[in-house]
Amino acid sequence: MSTDIKKGNGQAAATAPATSNFLRAIVEADLQAGTYERPGLPSVITRFPPEPNGYLHIGHAKSICLNFGLARDYAGRCHLRFDDTNPAKEDQEYVDTIIDSVKWLGFSWEQDGTEHLHYASDYFDQLYSMAEYLINSGHAYVDSQSAEDMAANRGDFSRPGVDSPFRTRSPAESLDLLRRMKAGQFKDGEHILRAKIDMASPNMNLRDPAIYRIRHAHHHRTGDTWCIYPMYDFTHPLSDALEHITHSVCTLEFQDHRPFYDWIIARCLEGGFFQQPVPRQYEFARLNLTYAITSKRKLLQLVEEGIVDGWDDPRMPTIVGMRRRGYTPEAIQLFCERIGVTKSDGWIDMSTLEGCLREDLDPKAPRATAVLRPLKLIIDNFPEQLRDACTAPIHPHHPERGLRQFTISRELWIEQDDFMQEPGKGYFRLYPPIGDKPGNKVRLRYGYVVECTGCDRDADGNVIAVRCNYFPDSKSGTEGSANYKVKGNIHWVSSHDALEAEVRLYDRLFSDPQPDAGGRDFKLALNPSAKEVVTAYLEPGLAAAMPDDRYQFERHGYFVADRVDSVAGKPVFNRVVTLKDSWGK
């Protein structure tokens, strides 16, 4: 998928890149047949219809990329439509974050200067008119059973349902009750409007499904105008038809809902509310990602119980969390394209997502030096006041991006694991003299070759500083450097001008690839090492890092200046992903 995101403005090519996406074959067949050729409308109109009752997650990203991507690739348009029919659970906060997340992912619902941003609540008047029509045409009735009786009479997969005693109500009586429901004369649950289909249907969704319920709740857009609200299965297909959607794409759990989708559109088509052609629903397998959960209820539990630091915690699979972690829109798009679209459920390993992230960041991220677990290195024969200039490429594969500059001094910070008092086989970093054998030599990256002479310990025997001598003619980039052949090459920062910074080492939130499989308590699979906060020393140029700036910290991985807690001159860094996939190794 191109990282140049078009806006569905009719300029995109009508051919799509090859990928495992069965929906493209359907769209292309419809285009060839002229199925949706209508005056003034694109031949492909899709929609992304979230309910504003939570934050979007990586599973939603797949649907976003699919719906907006199809519209873009086939010169169509994609609508953003909020399914806001359950006021008790919805809030403007969720509307705002969903809009922001879709835009951040690189997509737009604008076409030719018109924004196709819609709400189910936009259609409340029309939906209510359709409900009255269904009653008058004998396709709906008001049921006054209790919720318990309705559930009992619905039957199950082994026995048919039983007709409600109110199923034979006259249209006039049902219409009167519906209007009184709308007027607020009844309590929640006292009556409900149901479609009249077939209580013996083997498809439970056709056993007279509810289409309107009483709910005395304040709506974030319509206020207290309504006290009855349409059900999702009623609202969704009719909203699609009102918006001239061509391909209504949803996940596999809605496959059994498709007969009702077709039924309700057909009935309202008979009533003259729509014209042919009408939308068709197609289902695809949802994203199941290892080492993550995407249940809104469980994600809310993580937030409310303080297990994570909010919806935008970088360990969360929410779009806001991934954005704060340092993911890029291009990496997520690449991932969604790479995993394809199928009709069969399966698991996608987290390493696939992380691989797409590395692939996107590697050519983009400038390099930098960071010491995450610092240990003092003292070069005893280095002039105490000398600050010797060193340079390194901003990006090793893009010399045109220039050099970064820093200095080397007598005292440096190195990584703790770059020194070992008793080295094992194959250890080529610093270690002290052993018997008659001198200490090991290593190259300080972009600097000099040094030879370890010993170390300092505190009263408890802990190493607090490593000591060495340097070879003045060994500086990188000089002729003399070729005279020194060493196997070890370690990174460092000068203690006199290093930037002290908080660095948060994030990892996968769960240690089990399927943390909630089989009804298990997912909290038992939490990874205790999913977040570690260290005080690190960074090369001084990183003081200029702005929120969302991404870098490769050489040897460590990719890091981003936290978009919330970073301030001018004092960035806080999050680890985005390690350089290689070493999970479980």
Side-chain angles (χ1 to χ4, degrees):
M1 183 179 295
S2 169
T3 56
D4 178 20
I5 304 304
K6 302 179 180 66
K7 292 188 174 182
N9 57 7
Q11 301 302 310
T15 57
T19 184
S20 56
N21 185 337
F22 72 94
L23 291 169
R24 294 190 182 278
I26 293 171
V27 171
E28 288 167 7
D30 284 338
L31 288 172
Q32 186 173 3
T35 305
Y36 292 101
E37 288 185 1
R38 300 160 295 179
L41 290 172
S43 296
V44 176
I45 305 178
T46 59
R47 82 290 168 271
F48 173 61
E51 182 180 359
N53 65 351
Y55 285 72
L56 300 182
H57 53 65
I58 184 62
H60 294 114
K62 178 180 178 180
S63 181
I64 292 168
C65 291
L66 175 57
N67 281 289
F68 281 93
L70 285 172
R72 175 200 62 213
D73 293 339
Y74 295 101
R77 73 181 185 221
C78 183
H79 297 184
L80 175 61
R81 182 177 72 235
F82 289 97
D83 170 39
D84 57 343
T85 60
N86 189 0
K89 294 184 177 181
E90 296 158 3
D91 194 272
Q92 187 63 37
E93 172 192 355
Y94 300 130
V95 171
D96 294 341
T97 186
I98 290 170
I99 288 174
D100 185 61
S101 293
V102 176
K103 286 182 176 178
W104 177 74
L105 279 172
F107 298 105
S108 171
W109 42 90
E110 180 183 329
Q111 184 183 51
D112 298 330
T114 300
E115 281 205 344
H116 295 279
L117 174 63
H118 304 287
Y119 297 81
S121 54
D122 292 340
Y123 312 126
F124 278 176
D125 288 327
Q126 292 157 285
L127 294 171
Y128 178 78
S129 296
M130 295 179 206
E132 287 203 352
Y133 163 76
L134 291 171
I135 292 174
N136 285 325
S137 59
H139 295 304
Y141 63 98
V142 171
D143 194 353
S144 303
Q145 293 182 92
S146 68
E148 293 76 18
D149 286 344
M150 281 185 62
N153 289 336
R154 191 164 180 250
D156 54 35
F157 291 107
S158 61
R159 58 187 176 89
V162 177
D163 284 357
S164 165
F166 303 99
R167 198 174 195 266
T168 56
R169 265 181 172 153
S170 68
E173 184 182 0
S174 283
L175 187 60
D176 176 66
L177 284 169
L178 178 64
R179 289 173 175 173
R180 291 170 63 194
M181 289 164 59
K182 180 175 180 287
Q185 296 181 19
F186 302 111
K187 298 177 182 178
D188 289 7
E190 198 168 346
H191 301 286
I192 195 165
L193 181 65
R194 300 176 72 179
K196 186 184 291 187
I197 308 180
D198 182 5
M199 289 299 294
S201 173
N203 185 333
M204 300 287 288
N205 296 290
L206 295 180
R207 294 184 183 179
D208 291 8
I211 56 178
Y212 260 96
R213 80 285 207 194
I214 303 170
R215 180 151 295 178
H216 292 271
H218 185 81
H219 191 279
H220 70 100
R221 293 187 75 238
T222 61
D224 298 317
T225 301
W226 295 86
C227 61
I228 59 170
Y229 291 93
M231 304 296 288
Y232 175 84
D233 275 357
F234 175 77
T235 306
H236 183 72
L238 299 179
S239 298
D240 281 351
L242 287 167
E243 294 177 21
H244 306 289
I245 300 303
T246 58
H247 303 82
S248 181
V249 181
C250 56
T251 46
L252 279 175
E253 62 261 38
F254 292 100
Q255 181 171 300
D256 289 341
H257 298 241
R258 193 194 326 143
F260 181 67
Y261 182 102
D262 294 337
W263 183 91
I264 194 67
I265 288 180
R267 301 292 77 75
C268 291
L269 183 67
E270 294 166 356
F273 291 96
F274 314 119
Q275 293 181 339
Q276 291 281 14
V278 293
R280 291 288 306 276
Q281 176 178 302
Y282 303 94
E283 305 86 22
F284 68 97
R286 65 182 297 170
L287 172 62
N288 296 309
L289 186 66
T290 61
Y291 300 100
I293 57 171
T294 53
S295 160
K296 284 185 179 179
R297 177 180 60 83
K298 294 173 182 177
L299 292 175
L300 178 62
Q301 188 176 348
L302 290 173
V303 173
E304 290 184 337
E305 295 182 12
I307 296 171
V308 296
D309 302 323
W311 288 102
D312 67 344
D313 186 302
R315 294 166 290 180
M316 291 278 274
T318 54
I319 301 298
V320 291
M322 296 175 72
R323 182 179 181 181
R324 189 173 178 187
R325 175 75 171 260
Y327 273 80
T328 62
E330 295 84 2
I332 295 174
Q333 288 183 43
L334 176 61
F335 170 71
C336 291
E337 178 188 334
R338 188 159 288 171
I339 62 176
V341 180
T342 68
K343 291 184 178 182
S344 57
D345 280 321
W347 286 89
I348 304 297
D349 196 84
M350 178 69 77
S351 62
T352 303
L353 175 60
E354 293 171 341
C356 291
L357 181 57
R358 293 185 188 97
E359 191 173 327
D360 182 62
L361 289 178
D362 180 62
K364 295 178 179 178
R367 280 21 178 189
T369 303
V371 175
L372 303 183
R373 304 180 193 282
L375 175 64
K376 183 65 67 69
L377 176 70
I378 302 172
I379 309 174
D380 288 310
N381 65 335
F382 198 91
E384 193 161 350
Q385 302 303 317
L386 178 61
R387 305 291 184 262
D388 195 4
C390 298
T391 61
I394 292 174
H395 196 292
H397 306 304
H398 295 281
E400 71 280 2
R401 297 176 65 175
L403 300 172
R404 60 190 206 267
Q405 298 182 342
F406 43 88
T407 60
I408 188 169
S409 60
R410 185 173 185 269
E411 294 190 2
L412 312 174
W413 293 110
I414 63 170
E415 294 288 347
Q416 292 177 10
D417 60 6
D418 282 343
F419 173 77
M420 187 177 290
Q421 295 185 72
E422 298 179 4
K425 185 178 181 181
Y427 186 81
F428 300 119
R429 286 166 276 174
L430 291 169
Y431 53 82
I434 301 174
D436 296 333
K437 184 180 178 181
N440 197 36
K441 295 184 182 71
V442 302
R443 176 169 293 282
L444 300 176
R445 196 168 193 191
Y446 311 120
Y448 295 92
V449 173
V450 296
E451 180 179 275
C452 184
T453 58
C455 61
D456 299 341
R457 297 181 177 85
D458 62 15
D460 296 321
N462 300 310
V463 175
I464 56 174
V466 177
R467 292 191 174 267
C468 66
N469 288 320
Y470 87 117
F471 299 90
D473 61 344
S474 65
K475 188 176 182 181
S476 296
T478 66
E479 292 183 6
S481 66
N483 297 325
Y484 294 84
K485 306 296 183 184
V486 294
K487 293 183 178 180
N489 190 319
I490 67 173
H491 68 275
W492 52 274
V493 292
S494 290
S495 60
H496 78 280
D497 63 359
L499 173 68
E500 183 178 304
E502 178 180 319
V503 175
R504 299 161 181 172
L505 303 176
Y506 289 108
D507 209 330
R508 300 177 184 181
L509 185 56
F510 297 99
S511 55
D512 190 307
Q514 299 180 26
D516 57 351
R520 290 178 296 180
D521 181 357
F522 64 96
K523 292 189 291 184
L524 298 177
L526 286 165
N527 176 14
S529 302
K531 178 183 179 181
E532 180 185 2
V533 180
V534 299
T535 299
Y537 290 101
L538 320 178
E539 66 177 72
L542 288 175
M546 301 298 292
D548 288 331
D549 282 353
R550 299 172 183 84
Y551 299 85
Q552 185 194 105
F553 288 179
E554 294 175 343
R555 286 180 57 189
H556 291 302
Y558 295 96
F559 289 74
V560 65
D562 187 85
R563 63 193 325 265
V564 176
D565 296 330
S566 294
V567 297
K570 194 172 182 180
V572 173
F573 283 94
N574 302 328
R575 181 169 65 192
V576 188
V577 68
T578 55
L579 289 176
K580 295 181 179 179
D581 178 19
S582 58
W583 181 259
K585 296 179 181 178

